Amino acid sequence: LFGAGHVGQAIARAFAPLPFALDWHDSREEAAAPGVAIHDAARLVEIAGEIAEADVVLILTHDHDLDYQLTRAALTAGAVRYCGLIGSDTKRARFLRRLREDSVSEAAIARLTCPIGLPGLRSKAPEVIAVAVAAQLLQMIETP
């Protein structure tokens, strides 16, 4: 999980009783909290580039450019199981264009999920997003 803002905190709380091992990162010292590792942006991108094939990645930082760098690193690291990016359809379209301009393969791009969470929920409340993401990931891991 990249991002320890309001949504990141809500996701961490929602995931606590669920079958997920949370590895949580942010670049801002003010985001320091129990369980959050603070690194500079370059190190965060390195971490995203080390994602394993079976891993699930959630990207929801405070910075769109950092979100892009993390997304690109995670998608090009290998066949990451799920790469979720918080954002709108407009953000998705911008990122897809940039990924293609950066020659990221279509197979890698196809692994991007943006917006995150179950479709159809309109609320932007962090707790609703967290529940929607948790449900989406539970569906993914429980589907044969």
Side-chain angles (χ1 to χ4, degrees):
L1 173 60
F2 294 95
H6 297 304
V7 177
Q9 293 170 28
I11 288 173
R13 286 190 303 273
F15 280 25
L18 299 175
F20 301 112
L22 187 62
D23 190 18
W24 193 10
H25 306 277
D26 201 291
S27 62
R28 300 165 298 154
E29 288 295 331
E30 62 271 19
V36 180
I38 304 298
H39 307 283
D40 64 27
R43 178 64 185 132
L44 291 180
V45 173
E46 287 177 16
I47 293 167
E50 297 165 356
I51 300 299
E53 189 171 310
D55 287 344
V56 169
V57 179
L58 287 167
I59 300 168
L60 39 126
T61 76
H62 65 288
D63 181 317
H64 282 271
D65 187 55
L66 179 55
D67 282 354
Y68 178 76
Q69 292 176 53
L70 294 168
T71 300
R72 185 177 185 281
L75 290 175
T76 58
V80 63
R81 187 169 186 185
Y82 173 98
C83 182
L85 171 66
I86 197 165
S88 63
D89 289 330
T90 301
K91 183 176 181 179
R92 175 185 171 80
R94 282 195 312 265
F95 275 46
L96 292 178
R97 180 186 47 78
R98 288 181 69 186
L99 290 165
R100 289 182 177 113
E101 287 172 359
D102 287 345
S103 301
V104 175
S105 74
E106 289 299 320
I109 290 171
R111 291 190 302 274
L112 178 63
T113 299
C114 178
I116 55 175
L118 295 177
L121 296 177
R122 297 180 196 267
S123 176
K124 304 288 189 226
E127 294 76 15
V128 173
I129 294 169
V131 168
V133 169
Q136 184 179 48
L137 294 177
L138 286 168
Q139 279 183 332
M140 182 187 72
I141 65 173
E142 291 183 0
T143 302

